[in-house]
């Protein structure tokens, strides 16, 4: 068992922040409460002695058993100490799938969280640009990696071909791109509304 | 930005009192071409994007202000498909994610499945898998070298590199029957042992490969055009590279000495004598040097692996996990039943989860498997090195010229099958 | 000695013997030039693109079959070689590239995924590019060997040499998308996209 677990319990213990910890096939997994996630992650990254400076992966797992919660998995690694830790947050698969984004801590989480949003429908609060990354932005069938999503999709093949051919191959939907004026006319209504309200994308700037 | 207005007259359908067509004066701002930024679209069908990648580039003249990559044009639903397949049926799927180094993907998945099931493979299988991984590293870097040279204007290294690939392809075909989609591993072993002539062929390859590497080195490394186009371009510091979760040559070229083979060894890599190639400046030139030298190191590992290849069985002895030999399956009832159960029902993994990261040519290829006790995984997650490496592209390319963007994109060494899965 | 004379039942062929012979000569000249200098548009997506590149490299070299210059702009290409799997997100792109190619144009569908969807019978993959663009030659394989692709190219040569300039039926009739936005009727798309082979059984998750 990774000693970080005891250190976590010592620091955050007594609250609902740190749940159970277990070992599977030699890897340590610790469950963290949804509300405490950002604090726990910042502590893990910045505390000397922990220094999990490398984010390995962000993804989600939904089980076939409908009683089990949907887990958002964060793989953390300390390059200097050569230690791995897996942090999980449990969410209700039928409920609200929202969790804080760790992009302020590790920029590598940017696209990984977008993919989790695309495949599972998990909203990451505070993500600079949360939109679909693997499917097209107006994909209407749902979130593919959910267990209630059938393998071949919800629509018939002809309907899928029709929707695919109707998509505009040069669609610019990123808020960053929209701030470049000539894409404005092609936007769907809600994007124009967001722009009007002042939402803009962010440039990748230095920390 | 001052805009002059130009007087235009707009003809509207209608007539005024005298019967003349109505003309409406209209003030239109004259476009200030020197100040506006251009938005251009590169891809998804483009020779220099290394696959179906779409880059939307905002240009100020020739300078890239922003680049926004769009992915998903090769999204094939691998992870969804994996939930409907047995573990051994997923192995052919792993060929097609990173199709430039298929054997390494096979090995990565098999290691994760074996960690999940708690299986220890035989010594011969361990060395054969090292051979498979290093052969994959060489062919992947040769594709990278060839296509990057073409992007930057040098066509000849492409032909030399692909000729070396053909020699490895011959060896792969000798072993597995396929040039590209090898599916060489099985959970608990390999699809087959190496045939006669394979080891001699590989030994011959390791003797002649350094000559091609030195030829490529002589043509490119001190070439003024090559150096001019790659030095100082696309710089990433070590802290940035770590924070962006880069891995593989991208991370090492920025000065972070992290190689999964040394830091989290698998397949007995700690017993091999090789160096980790670390760069200094984190620009495109350093990435080129790192990959070129990695080919030499892979050659070194291959030579050692050939020498130490032990005799013995290549598959483990457990017939519940790996298919029994055909001769026994045809003659012995028990073996036939084991064969039947494995093919029809698949091998059940115990409840749990496992993550194994290997040093793919592109970076750290991770396989995360979650099992609920059945023969099909609940979740098969590929931790894609190219996807994460590509996310640093906007950071690297901002402020460079458009032609540098092509060089930087090439240096990331992406394979869209793995980026999009 | 009996000579078998081939008659081409082509609508535009002249009933006059000499004129017909002249038309054959023109056809032979035009078709040979077209077939022997097919400039490919490599629409390479996945693994088949690597085998395409291997076919272009020095070992197998399709430059000796006339495909010396790979036309990366569709405006200058003769044959669109779709090498690799085609997800739905890429479907409008290939349709647009196909529409941008000037006549005469042909399409080679290289590999199992481009021909039928291959092993990817799921939500993301087009089950064969012939639901989107008309295809002339299908090259099976996963991926096809370079010799396989070359054989497909040679079959296309044979097909081209059997065409005629004077055929009244529009040879490669431009099939624009119909009112539904589809190239084929929806029932036909559903029928050819149905699972077959092992896919029929492999749809249960557990």
């Amino acid at each position: 068992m990774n000693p970080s677990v005891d250190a976590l319990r010592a620091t955050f213990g007594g609250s609902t922040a740190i749940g159970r910890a277990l070992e599977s096939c030699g890897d340590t997994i610790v469950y963290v409460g949804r509300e405490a996630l950002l604090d726990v992650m910042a502590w893990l990254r910045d505390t000397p002695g922990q220094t999990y400076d490398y984010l390995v992966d962000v993804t989600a797992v939904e089980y076939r058993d409908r009683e089990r919660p949907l887990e958002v998995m964060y793989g953390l690694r300390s390059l200097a100490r050569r230690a791995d830790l897996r942090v999980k947050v449990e969410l209700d698969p039928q409920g609200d799938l929202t969790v804080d984004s760790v992009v302020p801590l590790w920029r590598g989480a940017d696209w990984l969280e977008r993919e989790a949003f695309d495949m599972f429908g998990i909203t990451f609060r505070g993500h600079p640009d949360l939109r679909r990354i693997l499917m097209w932005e107006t994909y209407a069938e749902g979130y593919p990696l959910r267990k209630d999503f059938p393998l071949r999709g919800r629509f018939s093949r002809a309907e899928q071909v029709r929707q695919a051919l109707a998509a505009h191959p040069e669609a610019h939907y990123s808020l960053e791109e929209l701030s470049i004026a000539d894409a404005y006319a092609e936007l769907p209504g809600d994007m124009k509304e967001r722009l009007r309200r002042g939402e803009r994308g962010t440039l990748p700037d230095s920390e | 930005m001052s805009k002059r207005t130009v007087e235009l007259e707009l003809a509207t359908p209608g007539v005024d009192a005298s019967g003349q067509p109505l003309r409406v004066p209209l003030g239109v701002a004259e476009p200030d071409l020197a100040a506006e930024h251009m938005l251009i679209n590169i891809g998804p069908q483009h020779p220099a994007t290394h696959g179906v990648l779409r880059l939307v580039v905002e240009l100020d003249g020739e300078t890239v202000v922003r680049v926004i990559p769009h992915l998903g044009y090769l999204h094939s639903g691998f992870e969804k498909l994996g939930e409907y397949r047995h573990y051994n049926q997923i192995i052919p799927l792993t060929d097609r994610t990173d199709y430039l180094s298929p054997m390494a993907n096979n090995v990565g998945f098999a290691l994760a499945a074996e960690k999940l099931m708690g299986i220890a493979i035989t010594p011969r299988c361990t060395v054969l898998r090292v051979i498979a991984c290093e052969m994959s590293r060489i062919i992947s870097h040769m594709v990278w070298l060839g296509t990057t040279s073409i992007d930057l204007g040098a066509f000849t290294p492409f032909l030399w590199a692909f000729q070396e690939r053909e020699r490895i392809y011959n060896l792969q075909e000798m072993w597995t029957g396929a040039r590209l989609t090898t599916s060489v591993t099985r959970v608990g072993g390999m699809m087959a042992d190496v045939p006669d002539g394979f080891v001699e062929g590989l030994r011959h390859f390791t003797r002649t490969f350094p000559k091609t590497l030195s030829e490529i080195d002589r043509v490119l490394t001190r070439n003024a055009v090559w150096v001019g186009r790659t030095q100082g371009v696309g710089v990433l510091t070590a802290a940035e590279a770590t924070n962006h979760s880069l891995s593989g040559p991208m991370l090492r070229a920025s000065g972070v000495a992290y190689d999964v083979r040394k830091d989290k060894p698998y397949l007995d890599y700690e017993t091999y004598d090789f160096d980790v190639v670390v760069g200094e400046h984190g620009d495109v030139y350093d990435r080129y040097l790192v990959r070129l030298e990695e080919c030499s190191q892979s050659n070194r590992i291959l030579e050692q692996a050939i020498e130490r290849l032990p005799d013995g069985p290549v598959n483990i002895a457990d017939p519940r996990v790996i298919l029994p030999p055909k001769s026994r399956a045809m003659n012995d009832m028990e073996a036939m039943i084991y064969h039947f159960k494995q093919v029809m029902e698949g091998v059940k993994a115990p409840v749990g989860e496992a993550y194994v990261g290997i040093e793919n040519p592109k970076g750290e290829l991770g396989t995360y498997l979650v099992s609920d006790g059945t023969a099909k995984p609940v979740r098969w997650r590929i931790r894609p090195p190219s996807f994460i490496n590509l996310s640093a592209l906007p950071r690297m390319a901002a402020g460079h010229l458009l032609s540098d963007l092509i060089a930087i994109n090439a240096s990331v060494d992406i394979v869209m099958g793995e980026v999009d899965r | 000695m009996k000579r078998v004379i081939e008659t081409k039942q082509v609508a535009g062929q002249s009933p006059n013997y000499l004129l017909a012979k002249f038309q054959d000569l023109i056809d032979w000249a035009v078709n040979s030039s077209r077939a022997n200098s097919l400039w490919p548009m490599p629409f390479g997506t996945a693994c088949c693109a690597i085998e395409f590149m291997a076919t272009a490299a020095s070992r197998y070299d399709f430059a000796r079959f006339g495909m010396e210059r790979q036309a990366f702009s569709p405006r200058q290409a003769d044959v669109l070689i779709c090498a690799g799997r085609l997800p739905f997100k890429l479907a409008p792109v290939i349709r647009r590239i196909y529409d941008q190619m000037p006549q005469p144009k042909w399409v080679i569908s290289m590999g199992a995924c481009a021909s039928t969807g291959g092993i990817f019978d799921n939500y993301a993959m087009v089950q064969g590019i012939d639901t989107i663009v008309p295809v002339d030659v299908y090259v099976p394989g996963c991926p096809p060997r370079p010799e396989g692709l070359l054989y497909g190219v040679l079959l296309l040569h044979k097909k081209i040499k059997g065409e005629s300039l004077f055929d009244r039926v529009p040879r490669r009739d431009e099939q624009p998308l119909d009112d539904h936005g589809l190239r084929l009727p929806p029932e036909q798309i559903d029928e050819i996209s149905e699972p077959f082979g092992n896919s029929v059984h492999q749809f249960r998750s557990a």
Side-chain angles (χ1 to χ4, degrees):
Chain A
M1 181 78 73
N2 192 326
S4 298
V5 176
D6 292 327
L8 275 173
R9 287 201 200 283
T11 315
F12 294 92
S15 61
T16 52
I18 310 295
R20 63 193 192 282
L22 51 104
E23 255 192 271
S24 179
C25 303
D27 303 330
T28 304
I29 306 159
V30 59
Y31 286 80
V32 171
R34 185 212 302 219
E35 307 311 324
L37 178 70
L38 215 46
D39 296 326
V40 169
M41 291 301 210
W43 185 87
L44 282 171
R45 187 188 73 152
D46 298 327
T47 311
Q50 305 300 325
T51 59
Y52 286 98
D53 53 351
Y54 189 82
L55 178 72
V56 176
D57 200 5
V58 178
T59 184
V61 182
E62 188 183 0
Y63 291 87
R64 294 188 182 116
D65 180 3
R66 312 228 25 191
E67 306 299 316
R68 290 191 66 168
L70 188 149
E71 297 170 348
V72 182
M73 184 279 266
Y74 298 84
L76 301 180
R77 175 176 296 154
S78 171
L79 290 184
R81 295 189 302 118
R82 300 182 182 184
D84 275 336
L85 183 67
R86 200 172 301 156
V87 174
K88 286 195 181 183
V89 176
E90 284 178 324
L91 302 173
D92 178 14
Q94 275 80 43
D96 165 39
L97 296 176
T98 313
V99 80
D100 285 322
S101 164
V102 297
V103 172
L105 298 172
W106 297 282
R107 291 217 66 95
D110 189 351
W111 283 12
L112 291 167
E113 287 180 350
R114 275 179 67 187
E115 188 191 334
F117 166 67
D118 189 2
M119 293 285 118
F120 288 91
I122 301 169
T123 309
F124 290 88
R125 276 190 297 244
H127 191 281
D129 188 16
L130 193 66
R131 60 195 161 95
R132 288 194 184 258
I133 189 169
L134 294 178
M135 308 308 294
W136 58 97
E137 273 86 0
T138 50
Y139 184 65
E141 286 184 70
Y143 298 106
L145 276 176
R146 299 297 305 271
K147 285 289 187 283
D148 55 359
F149 188 93
L151 175 63
R152 299 201 174 96
R154 296 211 161 95
F155 302 156
S156 76
R157 286 297 186 196
E159 182 59 31
Q160 287 176 337
V161 174
R162 185 180 304 142
Q163 290 200 354
L165 286 176
H168 183 192
E170 280 153 7
H172 304 147
Y173 286 115
S174 152
L175 287 174
E176 291 181 76
E177 290 152 357
L178 303 181
S179 55
I180 307 164
D182 61 347
Y184 188 71
E186 297 163 9
L187 294 183
D190 66 311
M191 288 278 182
K192 285 186 183 166
E193 185 55 33
R194 284 164 65 191
L195 257 190
R196 221 178 37 77
R197 279 197 313 243
E199 272 188 59
R200 290 279 183 270
T202 52
L203 267 177
D205 55 353
S206 48
E207 312 296 338
Chain B
M1 196 161 45
S2 66
K3 284 187 186 283
R4 297 185 324 176
T5 53
V6 173
E7 294 303 317
L8 288 181
E9 287 187 335
L10 180 69
T12 60
V15 291
D16 61 7
S18 60
Q20 298 297 316
L22 278 175
R23 292 204 160 268
V24 176
L26 189 71
V28 170
E30 180 175 303
D32 188 354
L33 290 174
E36 270 183 17
H37 289 176
M38 256 196 310
L39 182 73
I40 68 166
N41 183 64
I42 304 179
Q45 190 280 320
H46 193 276
T49 52
H50 297 272
V52 281
L53 171 68
R54 178 172 158 230
L55 299 173
V56 175
V57 187
E58 181 186 359
L59 289 175
D60 176 16
E62 191 78 13
T63 314
V64 172
V65 176
R66 271 188 292 208
V67 61
I68 299 144
H70 287 253
L71 314 175
Y73 290 97
L74 202 53
H75 177 63
S76 319
F78 276 97
E79 297 179 357
K80 183 80 179 175
L81 214 45
E83 296 168 13
Y84 292 75
R85 300 278 182 270
H86 305 149
Y87 289 94
N88 276 330
Q89 289 175 334
I90 298 179
I91 306 255
L93 288 176
T94 58
D95 284 326
R96 281 121 176 124
T97 48
D98 180 359
Y99 36 81
L100 301 178
S101 56
M103 285 197 174
N105 299 18
N106 298 149
V107 168
F109 182 82
L111 287 176
E114 284 152 10
K115 182 173 175 183
L116 185 63
M117 297 183 195
I119 294 171
I121 51 176
T122 66
R124 185 174 172 88
C125 180
T126 310
V127 178
L128 282 179
R129 285 186 180 181
V130 168
I131 290 178
C133 284
E134 296 309 317
M135 278 167 58
S136 298
R137 193 178 318 279
I138 290 177
I139 59 175
S140 175
H141 285 336
M142 285 292 107
V143 174
W144 174 82
L145 201 60
T147 51
T148 303
S149 320
I150 285 191
D151 284 350
L152 297 181
F155 186 66
T156 317
F158 169 79
L159 296 173
W160 294 341
F162 268 67
Q163 191 59 21
E164 294 303 315
R165 293 197 83 227
E166 287 295 329
R167 297 169 61 203
I168 295 266
Y169 267 6
N170 286 341
L171 292 172
Q172 279 184 198
E173 196 180 9
M174 202 192 288
W175 186 359
T176 64
R179 288 155 53 97
L180 201 154
T181 49
T182 50
S183 306
V184 71
T185 55
R186 297 287 181 264
V187 177
M190 307 292 264
M191 73 172 277
D193 204 343
V194 288
D196 300 331
F198 180 87
V199 174
E200 285 73 49
L202 190 58
R203 193 175 282 130
H204 177 70
F205 176 83
T206 57
R207 291 214 187 100
T208 51
F209 182 54
K211 179 165 171 297
T212 311
L213 275 183
S214 69
E215 276 179 8
I216 296 177
D217 183 45
R218 217 173 38 194
V219 162
L220 291 177
T221 307
R222 276 193 260 286
N223 185 314
V225 176
W226 185 264
V227 167
R229 283 204 69 177
T230 56
Q231 266 194 353
V233 168
V235 175
L236 270 183
T237 63
E240 287 172 351
T242 312
N243 201 249
H244 273 276
S245 301
L246 303 189
S247 51
M250 290 282 292
L251 186 62
R252 289 195 284 280
S254 294
V256 182
Y258 186 75
D259 186 326
V260 187
R261 296 174 291 175
K262 291 279 195 197
D263 292 326
K264 293 196 158 296
Y266 53 96
L267 295 176
D268 293 339
Y269 263 109
E270 65 271 18
T271 59
Y272 289 83
D273 182 29
F274 67 101
D275 300 320
V276 171
V277 190
V278 180
E280 209 182 305
H281 307 280
D283 57 5
V284 174
Y285 189 62
D286 272 12
R287 290 174 201 139
Y288 154 75
L289 290 175
V290 165
R291 289 192 177 106
L292 197 65
E293 184 57 29
E294 269 188 10
C295 291
S296 308
Q297 297 299 320
S298 285
N299 206 36
R300 214 170 134 192
I301 299 176
L302 278 177
E303 286 168 350
Q304 295 168 49
I306 294 171
E307 291 319 307
R308 71 164 70 182
L309 187 60
D311 294 322
V314 73
N315 295 338
I316 61 172
D318 190 351
R320 289 167 303 173
V321 169
I322 200 147
L323 291 177
K326 244 337 191 263
S327 52
R328 287 196 51 221
M330 296 297 207
N331 294 315
D332 178 26
M333 188 54 155
E334 200 181 291
M336 184 186 291
I337 293 177
Y338 280 131
H339 180 111
F340 180 83
K341 283 178 82 69
Q342 276 181 48
V343 170
M344 295 305 288
E345 297 172 0
V347 180
K348 291 189 176 45
V351 175
E353 53 185 73
Y355 174 86
V356 169
I358 65 164
E359 184 73 26
N360 209 32
K362 311 282 185 297
E364 176 180 343
L365 175 71
T367 309
Y368 175 58
L369 282 169
V370 180
S371 163
D372 61 350
T374 57
K376 302 182 187 185
V378 166
R379 177 85 171 100
W380 168 38
R381 158 77 179 167
I382 307 170
R383 188 257 185 206
S386 308
F387 180 80
I388 300 172
N389 289 353
L390 190 60
S391 67
L393 183 69
R395 173 61 154 282
M396 285 192 280
H400 287 288
L401 299 178
L402 185 60
S403 46
D404 295 333
L405 170 66
I406 300 298
I408 297 168
N409 188 29
S411 79
V412 180
D413 194 9
I414 52 171
V415 54
M416 292 313 288
E418 185 175 68
V419 173
D420 289 335
R421 284 154 290 126
Chain C
M1 180 178 70
K2 223 166 163 236
R3 230 171 43 145
V4 175
I5 302 171
E6 261 181 22
T7 47
K8 270 201 293 195
Q9 297 297 324
V10 165
Q13 199 177 37
S14 164
N16 178 323
Y17 172 76
L18 279 177
L19 217 48
K21 275 297 179 199
F22 183 66
Q23 281 178 341
D24 281 349
L25 182 68
I26 303 268
D27 275 340
W28 171 84
V30 167
N31 290 340
S32 299
S33 340
R34 283 178 178 171
N36 292 325
S37 74
L38 279 175
W39 284 4
M41 159 98 211
F43 194 84
T45 49
C47 345
C48 284
I50 308 300
E51 285 297 58
F52 179 90
M53 283 157 59
T55 315
S58 39
R59 178 81 184 85
Y60 295 99
D61 192 21
F62 57 29
R64 47 195 173 116
F65 295 99
M67 304 171 96
E68 168 64 35
R69 182 186 175 279
Q70 292 178 37
F72 286 101
S73 165
R75 305 279 183 199
Q76 299 169 0
D78 294 313
V79 56
L80 173 72
I81 302 187
C82 181
R85 49 193 187 255
L86 198 85
F88 283 115
K89 194 167 178 179
L90 205 51
V93 176
I94 195 177
R95 179 74 214 181
R96 182 180 281 205
I97 301 260
Y98 176 76
D99 289 339
Q100 285 176 345
M101 286 168 70
Q103 293 284 8
K105 57 185 171 183
W106 297 271
V107 176
I108 294 182
S109 155
M110 177 183 177
C113 298
S115 307
T116 63
I119 60 177
F120 300 102
D121 193 356
N122 57 22
Y123 62 92
M125 202 59 66
V126 168
Q127 299 295 299
I129 62 171
D130 47 5
T131 54
I132 299 174
V133 296
V135 174
D136 290 289
V137 175
Y138 299 85
V139 182
C142 190
R145 275 195 66 110
E147 289 100 328
L149 179 61
L150 289 173
Y151 181 67
V153 168
L154 290 176
L155 273 183
L156 186 61
H157 284 190
K158 211 161 150 182
K159 182 171 185 175
I160 293 172
K161 287 174 183 163
E163 294 174 350
S164 170
L165 263 188
F166 304 96
D167 193 349
R168 292 252 170 76
V169 175
R171 180 184 58 86
R172 310 218 41 81
D173 72 314
E174 196 68 53
Q175 276 180 298
L177 304 177
D178 63 8
D179 314 323
H180 298 282
L182 296 173
R183 188 187 149 255
L184 301 172
E187 307 78 39
Q188 195 174 2
I189 293 185
D190 282 333
E191 190 187 328
I192 62 180
S193 306
E194 260 179 22
F196 60 92
N198 270 342
S199 266
V200 173
H201 305 295
Q202 289 171 342
F203 62 90
R204 280 189 309 272
S205 174

